[in-house]
Amino acid sequence: MKRKVVHLTTTHARNEVRVFLKECTSLSVAGYDVYLIVADGLGPDTTSSGVHRLDIGKQSGRIQRMLIQPWRMLRAAFKIRADVYHLHEPELLLIALPLKWSGAKVVYDSHEDTPRAILSRDWINPFLRKLVSSTFELFENFVTCRISAVVGATPHISLRFSKINKQTVTVNNYPLQSELPDFEIPLRINRSLCYIGSISKSRGVFEMINAVDPLDAQLILAGWFESEQVELNAKKLNGWSKIDYRGTVNRSEVHEIMSRSSIGLVIFHPEPNHVNAQPNKLFEYMSARLPIIASDFPLWREVIEGNDCGICVNPMNPSAISEAINLLLTNPERVKKFGDNGYRAVQEKYNWGIEEQKLLTLYNELTK
């Protein structure tokens, strides 16, 4: 009989890349009976790629999502009676132990270093952030040392959890091999660059807009603004006239944007949760043969300069970003070289095929 697996997420879309396209789909193909409980309010319940998707409905407001949705998730999860429950948000740790007490295995998938991320959350009073961060870390450690396993999205995240849970594994968020282009891309001669993802002050939206302002270039911006105020302030900048804003886009639109661009940008601010992160967009740009201009963090420099696939810059300096953009736009041969090198690195080491095996090995251990 197939082992039942339930993945739970309160914030991710039902088609989200890591949760659905990678982890859930890989487990389904491997023979598990996979359920994905979401809270996007899009219903009805569906089955896609062998994964049964259930919607508990959307809650308005951050506090309601954090304090009410986990318990609604718990009720839906108990109805399935799974062998393994896999949690994708920090607030779902509230229900981790009740799920464990049901006799099931429980896995926490830590997508980011949440205690450090809290230190830069604008919606938390600056005077309270350290207290909230340290309190949450105590809670997170208390729960995760008592559950079956922890999955870290980066080696940095896994290192912290490995000290309190021996069954900790790194499953990097690398690109799907099925999405790698299997054809040679000629010299890119257009003057478009792109940023795809969550749009916020800390992810460099103002620096990117200011950097493109003096250039004969266009920045394709795709994703959701973290707040109405950030969007309003961004649109007030002179450089907004150089922006092609697409809003939230689907996977096919992501590929269309990258195919139309000559450069991919990842200009995150040097905040505690960023310097050791491995943004999925970094590797997606590489998989699309796009050269990268990214923040000059040691870990990112190791990937980008180590594979000779882009340029690292001071993310707080729009002039330095602008110079790097201009350097590439005026040198198509270097753009092609960087793009080909990045693509080769994804083929050889930064791909989901390698990470998938780590996930399946963990599940084999949990369900044997």
Side-chain angles (χ1 to χ4, degrees):
M1 190 172 76
K2 285 186 176 182
R3 294 286 194 176
K4 280 188 180 179
V5 173
V6 177
H7 282 240
L8 300 88
T9 175
T10 54
T11 62
H12 292 90
R14 60 182 60 199
N15 291 323
E16 197 270 342
V17 178
R18 178 179 177 86
V19 178
F20 172 68
L21 288 178
K22 294 176 182 174
E23 294 187 349
C24 287
T25 301
S26 291
L27 290 166
S28 176
V29 171
Y32 292 91
D33 189 11
V34 184
Y35 291 77
L36 172 61
I37 303 178
V38 299
D40 57 14
L42 298 178
D45 299 342
T46 60
T47 298
S48 178
S49 300
V51 179
H52 312 291
R53 294 186 293 199
L54 312 176
D55 181 13
I56 66 166
K58 191 172 184 177
Q59 281 282 344
S60 60
R62 185 177 288 111
I63 300 302
Q64 290 89 337
R65 188 202 84 209
M66 291 181 175
L67 298 182
I68 296 175
Q69 290 294 63
W71 304 106
R72 298 180 68 195
M73 285 266 171
L74 180 65
R75 187 166 61 247
F78 274 154
K79 291 179 181 179
I80 300 173
R81 297 184 179 276
D83 298 287
V84 181
Y85 292 102
H86 193 128
L87 314 178
H88 287 277
E89 271 84 28
E91 59 262 30
L92 291 177
L93 289 174
L94 288 169
I95 64 172
L97 295 182
L99 288 170
K100 176 188 175 183
W101 296 334
S102 73
K105 303 292 186 179
V106 178
V107 179
Y108 175 48
D109 201 318
S110 182
H111 297 200
E112 65 177 357
D113 185 356
T114 304
R116 258 49 66 188
I118 289 171
L119 296 174
S120 58
R121 293 289 193 249
D122 290 338
W123 53 272
I124 299 176
N125 187 306
F127 296 105
L128 296 177
R129 287 176 195 166
K130 285 188 177 180
L131 175 62
V132 174
S133 173
S134 57
T135 301
F136 176 79
E137 186 161 12
L138 287 173
F139 167 70
E140 187 178 49
N141 290 348
F142 175 84
V143 175
T144 53
C145 74
R146 289 168 169 79
I147 60 176
S148 310
V150 176
V151 171
T154 70
H156 174 75
I157 294 172
S158 294
L159 178 61
R160 181 168 73 87
F161 285 110
S162 67
K163 298 172 183 176
I164 56 176
N165 189 315
K166 293 181 179 179
Q167 190 72 285
T168 296
V169 60
T170 302
V171 179
N172 294 288
N173 204 19
Y174 292 158
L176 291 159
Q177 290 169 297
S178 61
E179 294 186 344
L180 298 181
D182 58 358
F183 52 86
E184 186 74 12
I185 294 179
L187 288 179
R188 297 178 188 262
I189 58 174
N190 65 65
R191 301 186 67 82
S192 292
L193 33 149
C194 68
Y195 170 79
I196 303 167
S198 177
I199 303 170
S200 66
K201 177 182 176 182
S202 68
R203 296 192 176 207
V205 62
F206 301 136
E207 286 78 14
M208 289 189 290
I209 294 172
N210 288 330
V212 79
D213 182 28
L215 301 175
D216 176 21
Q218 178 187 61
L219 171 60
I220 303 174
L221 202 59
W224 56 98
F225 277 91
E226 71 168 1
S227 70
E228 292 182 1
Q229 189 59 53
V230 170
E231 182 174 4
L232 181 64
N233 291 341
K235 291 179 177 179
K236 288 179 180 178
L237 297 174
N238 291 334
W240 187 259
S241 62
K242 304 287 183 71
I243 305 301
D244 176 6
Y245 178 51
R246 302 291 185 87
T248 303
V249 296
N250 58 35
R251 293 298 293 166
S252 63
E253 291 170 317
V254 167
H255 295 307
E256 183 269 331
I257 289 170
M258 291 193 294
S259 70
R260 287 193 51 209
S261 303
S262 291
I263 303 168
L265 300 181
V266 196
I267 311 294
F268 287 11
H269 288 186
E271 296 184 350
N273 189 45
H274 289 163
V275 294
N276 291 302
Q278 292 182 167
N280 185 46
K281 60 182 64 65
L282 184 73
F283 301 100
E284 288 201 334
Y285 293 156
M286 292 166 66
S287 72
R289 284 192 168 99
L290 278 177
I292 301 161
I293 296 176
S295 303
D296 189 16
F297 304 153
L299 178 61
W300 295 17
R301 192 164 57 242
E302 180 181 329
V303 173
I304 294 168
E305 295 183 354
N307 292 286
D308 196 22
C309 62
I311 300 173
C312 293
V313 297
N314 179 352
M316 310 306 293
N317 187 340
S319 295
I321 301 167
S322 188
E323 288 177 14
I325 293 170
N326 191 57
L327 177 65
L328 291 181
L329 290 180
T330 55
N331 194 334
E333 290 78 13
R334 180 176 291 190
V335 166
K336 178 169 172 49
K337 174 188 172 184
F338 282 166
D340 288 344
N341 288 346
Y343 178 80
R344 188 179 307 112
V346 169
Q347 279 188 314
E348 295 174 356
K349 53 187 174 181
Y350 302 125
N351 63 74
W352 178 247
I354 296 171
E355 303 309 302
E356 176 186 60
Q357 294 307 311
K358 300 178 188 177
L359 180 69
L360 297 180
T361 297
L362 172 64
Y363 267 75
N364 287 337
E365 288 291 319
L366 294 176
T367 59
K368 66 182 181 181

PDB file of all heavy atoms in Angstrom, residues 122-144:
ATOM      1  N   ASP A 122       9.678  44.754   8.460  1.00  0.00           N
ATOM      2  CA  ASP A 122       9.206  46.128   8.656  1.00  0.00           C
ATOM      3  C   ASP A 122       7.920  46.198   9.478  1.00  0.00           C
ATOM      4  O   ASP A 122       7.637  47.219  10.109  1.00  0.00           O
ATOM      5  CB  ASP A 122       8.981  46.806   7.298  1.00  0.00           C
ATOM      6  CG  ASP A 122      10.291  47.090   6.578  1.00  0.00           C
ATOM      7  OD1 ASP A 122      11.335  47.155   7.247  1.00  0.00           O
ATOM      8  OD2 ASP A 122      10.270  47.249   5.336  1.00  0.00           O
ATOM      9  N   TRP A 123       7.129  45.133   9.460  1.00  0.00           N
ATOM     10  CA  TRP A 123       5.847  45.169  10.161  1.00  0.00           C
ATOM     11  C   TRP A 123       5.975  44.894  11.664  1.00  0.00           C
ATOM     12  O   TRP A 123       4.995  44.962  12.388  1.00  0.00           O
ATOM     13  CB  TRP A 123       4.857  44.188   9.529  1.00  0.00           C
ATOM     14  CG  TRP A 123       5.348  42.784   9.382  1.00  0.00           C
ATOM     15  CD1 TRP A 123       6.048  42.265   8.337  1.00  0.00           C
ATOM     16  CD2 TRP A 123       5.176  41.707  10.319  1.00  0.00           C
ATOM     17  NE1 TRP A 123       6.327  40.935   8.551  1.00  0.00           N
ATOM     18  CE2 TRP A 123       5.791  40.566   9.749  1.00  0.00           C
ATOM     19  CE3 TRP A 123       4.551  41.589  11.559  1.00  0.00           C
ATOM     20  CZ2 TRP A 123       5.808  39.333  10.401  1.00  0.00           C
ATOM     21  CZ3 TRP A 123       4.564  40.358  12.204  1.00  0.00           C
ATOM     22  CH2 TRP A 123       5.192  39.244  11.616  1.00  0.00           C
ATOM     23  N   ILE A 124       7.205  44.606  12.109  1.00  0.00           N
ATOM     24  CA  ILE A 124       7.456  44.439  13.545  1.00  0.00           C
ATOM     25  C   ILE A 124       8.162  45.692  14.063  1.00  0.00           C
ATOM     26  O   ILE A 124       9.120  46.172  13.450  1.00  0.00           O
ATOM     27  CB  ILE A 124       8.323  43.196  13.824  1.00  0.00           C
ATOM     28  CG1 ILE A 124       7.622  41.930  13.333  1.00  0.00           C
ATOM     29  CG2 ILE A 124       8.626  43.075  15.315  1.00  0.00           C
ATOM     30  CD1 ILE A 124       8.453  40.674  13.485  1.00  0.00           C
ATOM     31  N   ASN A 125       7.695  46.228  15.173  1.00  0.00           N
ATOM     32  CA  ASN A 125       8.314  47.405  15.779  1.00  0.00           C
ATOM     33  C   ASN A 125       9.817  47.178  15.947  1.00  0.00           C
ATOM     34  O   ASN A 125      10.232  46.164  16.533  1.00  0.00           O
ATOM     35  CB  ASN A 125       7.656  47.662  17.148  1.00  0.00           C
ATOM     36  CG  ASN A 125       8.114  48.963  17.772  1.00  0.00           C
ATOM     37  OD1 ASN A 125       9.302  49.214  17.924  1.00  0.00           O
ATOM     38  ND2 ASN A 125       7.148  49.798  18.139  1.00  0.00           N
ATOM     39  N   PRO A 126      10.638  48.103  15.433  1.00  0.00           N
ATOM     40  CA  PRO A 126      12.105  47.926  15.512  1.00  0.00           C
ATOM     41  C   PRO A 126      12.611  47.643  16.932  1.00  0.00           C
ATOM     42  O   PRO A 126      13.585  46.913  17.108  1.00  0.00           O
ATOM     43  CB  PRO A 126      12.651  49.255  14.990  1.00  0.00           C
ATOM     44  CG  PRO A 126      11.568  49.786  14.112  1.00  0.00           C
ATOM     45  CD  PRO A 126      10.280  49.353  14.748  1.00  0.00           C
ATOM     46  N   PHE A 127      11.956  48.209  17.934  1.00  0.00           N
ATOM     47  CA  PHE A 127      12.398  48.018  19.318  1.00  0.00           C
ATOM     48  C   PHE A 127      12.057  46.618  19.839  1.00  0.00           C
ATOM     49  O   PHE A 127      12.593  46.180  20.861  1.00  0.00           O
ATOM     50  CB  PHE A 127      11.758  49.079  20.220  1.00  0.00           C
ATOM     51  CG  PHE A 127      12.180  50.479  19.895  1.00  0.00           C
ATOM     52  CD1 PHE A 127      11.314  51.338  19.228  1.00  0.00           C
ATOM     53  CD2 PHE A 127      13.452  50.933  20.214  1.00  0.00           C
ATOM     54  CE1 PHE A 127      11.702  52.628  18.911  1.00  0.00           C
ATOM     55  CE2 PHE A 127      13.848  52.227  19.905  1.00  0.00           C
ATOM     56  CZ  PHE A 127      12.973  53.080  19.244  1.00  0.00           C
ATOM     57  N   LEU A 128      11.170  45.929  19.127  1.00  0.00           N
ATOM     58  CA  LEU A 128      10.742  44.604  19.580  1.00  0.00           C
ATOM     59  C   LEU A 128      11.357  43.462  18.769  1.00  0.00           C
ATOM     60  O   LEU A 128      11.205  42.288  19.144  1.00  0.00           O
ATOM     61  CB  LEU A 128       9.213  44.499  19.499  1.00  0.00           C
ATOM     62  CG  LEU A 128       8.402  45.433  20.396  1.00  0.00           C
ATOM     63  CD1 LEU A 128       6.911  45.237  20.133  1.00  0.00           C
ATOM     64  CD2 LEU A 128       8.727  45.189  21.867  1.00  0.00           C
ATOM     65  N   ARG A 129      12.041  43.785  17.680  1.00  0.00           N
ATOM     66  CA  ARG A 129      12.491  42.727  16.765  1.00  0.00           C
ATOM     67  C   ARG A 129      13.451  41.741  17.425  1.00  0.00           C
ATOM     68  O   ARG A 129      13.333  40.525  17.210  1.00  0.00           O
ATOM     69  CB  ARG A 129      13.139  43.355  15.524  1.00  0.00           C
ATOM     70  CG  ARG A 129      12.129  43.988  14.588  1.00  0.00           C
ATOM     71  CD  ARG A 129      12.796  44.679  13.418  1.00  0.00           C
ATOM     72  NE  ARG A 129      11.834  45.563  12.744  1.00  0.00           N
ATOM     73  CZ  ARG A 129      12.168  46.496  11.873  1.00  0.00           C
ATOM     74  NH1 ARG A 129      13.446  46.687  11.559  1.00  0.00           N
ATOM     75  NH2 ARG A 129      11.240  47.256  11.314  1.00  0.00           N
ATOM     76  N   LYS A 130      14.403  42.220  18.206  1.00  0.00           N
ATOM     77  CA  LYS A 130      15.350  41.302  18.838  1.00  0.00           C
ATOM     78  C   LYS A 130      14.644  40.372  19.808  1.00  0.00           C
ATOM     79  O   LYS A 130      14.947  39.177  19.885  1.00  0.00           O
ATOM     80  CB  LYS A 130      16.464  42.085  19.544  1.00  0.00           C
ATOM     81  CG  LYS A 130      17.484  42.695  18.594  1.00  0.00           C
ATOM     82  CD  LYS A 130      18.664  43.299  19.356  1.00  0.00           C
ATOM     83  CE  LYS A 130      19.709  43.846  18.391  1.00  0.00           C
ATOM     84  NZ  LYS A 130      20.875  44.434  19.118  1.00  0.00           N
ATOM     85  N   LEU A 131      13.695  40.914  20.551  1.00  0.00           N
ATOM     86  CA  LEU A 131      12.944  40.103  21.498  1.00  0.00           C
ATOM     87  C   LEU A 131      12.102  39.061  20.772  1.00  0.00           C
ATOM     88  O   LEU A 131      12.092  37.879  21.157  1.00  0.00           O
ATOM     89  CB  LEU A 131      12.043  40.992  22.360  1.00  0.00           C
ATOM     90  CG  LEU A 131      11.106  40.257  23.334  1.00  0.00           C
ATOM     91  CD1 LEU A 131      11.917  39.456  24.342  1.00  0.00           C
ATOM     92  CD2 LEU A 131      10.185  41.271  24.031  1.00  0.00           C
ATOM     93  N   VAL A 132      11.414  39.481  19.716  1.00  0.00           N
ATOM     94  CA  VAL A 132      10.591  38.553  18.940  1.00  0.00           C
ATOM     95  C   VAL A 132      11.472  37.487  18.302  1.00  0.00           C
ATOM     96  O   VAL A 132      11.140  36.296  18.294  1.00  0.00           O
ATOM     97  CB  VAL A 132       9.781  39.307  17.858  1.00  0.00           C
ATOM     98  CG1 VAL A 132       9.030  38.323  16.956  1.00  0.00           C
ATOM     99  CG2 VAL A 132       8.798  40.271  18.501  1.00  0.00           C
ATOM    100  N   SER A 133      12.623  37.898  17.760  1.00  0.00           N
ATOM    101  CA  SER A 133      13.542  36.967  17.108  1.00  0.00           C
ATOM    102  C   SER A 133      14.052  35.906  18.081  1.00  0.00           C
ATOM    103  O   SER A 133      14.016  34.706  17.790  1.00  0.00           O
ATOM    104  CB  SER A 133      14.728  37.731  16.516  1.00  0.00           C
ATOM    105  OG  SER A 133      15.718  36.844  16.027  1.00  0.00           O
ATOM    106  N   SER A 134      14.522  36.331  19.246  1.00  0.00           N
ATOM    107  CA  SER A 134      15.083  35.377  20.210  1.00  0.00           C
ATOM    108  C   SER A 134      13.993  34.479  20.791  1.00  0.00           C
ATOM    109  O   SER A 134      14.217  33.282  21.018  1.00  0.00           O
ATOM    110  CB  SER A 134      15.809  36.116  21.330  1.00  0.00           C
ATOM    111  OG  SER A 134      14.946  37.028  21.989  1.00  0.00           O
ATOM    112  N   THR A 135      12.786  35.035  21.001  1.00  0.00           N
ATOM    113  CA  THR A 135      11.674  34.230  21.520  1.00  0.00           C
ATOM    114  C   THR A 135      11.260  33.169  20.509  1.00  0.00           C
ATOM    115  O   THR A 135      11.049  31.999  20.857  1.00  0.00           O
ATOM    116  CB  THR A 135      10.471  35.126  21.863  1.00  0.00           C
ATOM    117  OG1 THR A 135      10.861  36.098  22.831  1.00  0.00           O
ATOM    118  CG2 THR A 135       9.314  34.290  22.411  1.00  0.00           C
ATOM    119  N   PHE A 136      11.170  33.587  19.241  1.00  0.00           N
ATOM    120  CA  PHE A 136      10.785  32.613  18.224  1.00  0.00           C
ATOM    121  C   PHE A 136      11.849  31.528  18.083  1.00  0.00           C
ATOM    122  O   PHE A 136      11.523  30.346  17.906  1.00  0.00           O
ATOM    123  CB  PHE A 136      10.557  33.269  16.866  1.00  0.00           C
ATOM    124  CG  PHE A 136      10.259  32.247  15.801  1.00  0.00           C
ATOM    125  CD1 PHE A 136       8.990  31.689  15.703  1.00  0.00           C
ATOM    126  CD2 PHE A 136      11.257  31.797  14.949  1.00  0.00           C
ATOM    127  CE1 PHE A 136       8.722  30.706  14.768  1.00  0.00           C
ATOM    128  CE2 PHE A 136      10.996  30.815  14.001  1.00  0.00           C
ATOM    129  CZ  PHE A 136       9.721  30.269  13.926  1.00  0.00           C
ATOM    130  N   GLU A 137      13.126  31.905  18.165  1.00  0.00           N
ATOM    131  CA  GLU A 137      14.181  30.903  18.017  1.00  0.00           C
ATOM    132  C   GLU A 137      14.107  29.855  19.134  1.00  0.00           C
ATOM    133  O   GLU A 137      14.317  28.659  18.889  1.00  0.00           O
ATOM    134  CB  GLU A 137      15.552  31.563  17.999  1.00  0.00           C
ATOM    135  CG  GLU A 137      16.676  30.590  17.695  1.00  0.00           C
ATOM    136  CD  GLU A 137      17.953  31.262  17.224  1.00  0.00           C
ATOM    137  OE1 GLU A 137      18.062  32.498  17.335  1.00  0.00           O
ATOM    138  OE2 GLU A 137      18.844  30.544  16.727  1.00  0.00           O
ATOM    139  N   LEU A 138      13.792  30.288  20.338  1.00  0.00           N
ATOM    140  CA  LEU A 138      13.626  29.332  21.444  1.00  0.00           C
ATOM    141  C   LEU A 138      12.471  28.374  21.142  1.00  0.00           C
ATOM    142  O   LEU A 138      12.581  27.156  21.348  1.00  0.00           O
ATOM    143  CB  LEU A 138      13.360  30.082  22.747  1.00  0.00           C
ATOM    144  CG  LEU A 138      14.551  30.825  23.369  1.00  0.00           C
ATOM    145  CD1 LEU A 138      14.091  31.658  24.564  1.00  0.00           C
ATOM    146  CD2 LEU A 138      15.638  29.840  23.800  1.00  0.00           C
ATOM    147  N   PHE A 139      11.361  28.921  20.656  1.00  0.00           N
ATOM    148  CA  PHE A 139      10.202  28.092  20.311  1.00  0.00           C
ATOM    149  C   PHE A 139      10.532  27.138  19.166  1.00  0.00           C
ATOM    150  O   PHE A 139      10.219  25.941  19.215  1.00  0.00           O
ATOM    151  CB  PHE A 139       9.029  28.998  19.932  1.00  0.00           C
ATOM    152  CG  PHE A 139       7.896  28.280  19.258  1.00  0.00           C
ATOM    153  CD1 PHE A 139       7.087  27.402  19.960  1.00  0.00           C
ATOM    154  CD2 PHE A 139       7.638  28.486  17.895  1.00  0.00           C
ATOM    155  CE1 PHE A 139       6.035  26.736  19.327  1.00  0.00           C
ATOM    156  CE2 PHE A 139       6.601  27.828  17.265  1.00  0.00           C
ATOM    157  CZ  PHE A 139       5.793  26.946  17.977  1.00  0.00           C
ATOM    158  N   GLU A 140      11.194  27.664  18.126  1.00  0.00           N
ATOM    159  CA  GLU A 140      11.546  26.854  16.960  1.00  0.00           C
ATOM    160  C   GLU A 140      12.465  25.703  17.378  1.00  0.00           C
ATOM    161  O   GLU A 140      12.276  24.550  16.954  1.00  0.00           O
ATOM    162  CB  GLU A 140      12.222  27.739  15.916  1.00  0.00           C
ATOM    163  CG  GLU A 140      12.477  27.061  14.593  1.00  0.00           C
ATOM    164  CD  GLU A 140      13.100  28.011  13.586  1.00  0.00           C
ATOM    165  OE1 GLU A 140      14.087  28.702  13.938  1.00  0.00           O
ATOM    166  OE2 GLU A 140      12.621  28.069  12.433  1.00  0.00           O
ATOM    167  N   ASN A 141      13.451  25.993  18.209  1.00  0.00           N
ATOM    168  CA  ASN A 141      14.373  24.954  18.676  1.00  0.00           C
ATOM    169  C   ASN A 141      13.659  23.910  19.539  1.00  0.00           C
ATOM    170  O   ASN A 141      13.927  22.701  19.430  1.00  0.00           O
ATOM    171  CB  ASN A 141      15.518  25.583  19.471  1.00  0.00           C
ATOM    172  CG  ASN A 141      16.468  26.387  18.600  1.00  0.00           C
ATOM    173  OD1 ASN A 141      16.418  26.302  17.373  1.00  0.00           O
ATOM    174  ND2 ASN A 141      17.312  27.184  19.227  1.00  0.00           N
ATOM    175  N   PHE A 142      12.743  24.390  20.394  1.00  0.00           N
ATOM    176  CA  PHE A 142      12.004  23.480  21.275  1.00  0.00           C
ATOM    177  C   PHE A 142      11.216  22.453  20.457  1.00  0.00           C
ATOM    178  O   PHE A 142      11.206  21.258  20.777  1.00  0.00           O
ATOM    179  CB  PHE A 142      11.055  24.280  22.174  1.00  0.00           C
ATOM    180  CG  PHE A 142      10.167  23.431  23.036  1.00  0.00           C
ATOM    181  CD1 PHE A 142      10.635  22.934  24.252  1.00  0.00           C
ATOM    182  CD2 PHE A 142       8.875  23.110  22.633  1.00  0.00           C
ATOM    183  CE1 PHE A 142       9.815  22.138  25.054  1.00  0.00           C
ATOM    184  CE2 PHE A 142       8.052  22.309  23.424  1.00  0.00           C
ATOM    185  CZ  PHE A 142       8.530  21.822  24.639  1.00  0.00           C
ATOM    186  N   VAL A 143      10.563  22.912  19.390  1.00  0.00           N
ATOM    187  CA  VAL A 143       9.723  22.011  18.586  1.00  0.00           C
ATOM    188  C   VAL A 143      10.577  21.136  17.675  1.00  0.00           C
ATOM    189  O   VAL A 143      10.387  19.914  17.606  1.00  0.00           O
ATOM    190  CB  VAL A 143       8.710  22.817  17.749  1.00  0.00           C
ATOM    191  CG1 VAL A 143       7.928  21.881  16.820  1.00  0.00           C
ATOM    192  CG2 VAL A 143       7.754  23.575  18.662  1.00  0.00           C
ATOM    193  N   THR A 144      11.541  21.727  16.981  1.00  0.00           N
ATOM    194  CA  THR A 144      12.267  20.963  15.960  1.00  0.00           C
ATOM    195  C   THR A 144      13.172  19.886  16.535  1.00  0.00           C
ATOM    196  O   THR A 144      13.501  18.920  15.840  1.00  0.00           O
ATOM    197  CB  THR A 144      13.091  21.902  15.057  1.00  0.00           C
ATOM    198  OG1 THR A 144      13.932  22.742  15.859  1.00  0.00           O
ATOM    199  CG2 THR A 144      12.177  22.777  14.208  1.00  0.00           C
TER     200      THR A 144
END
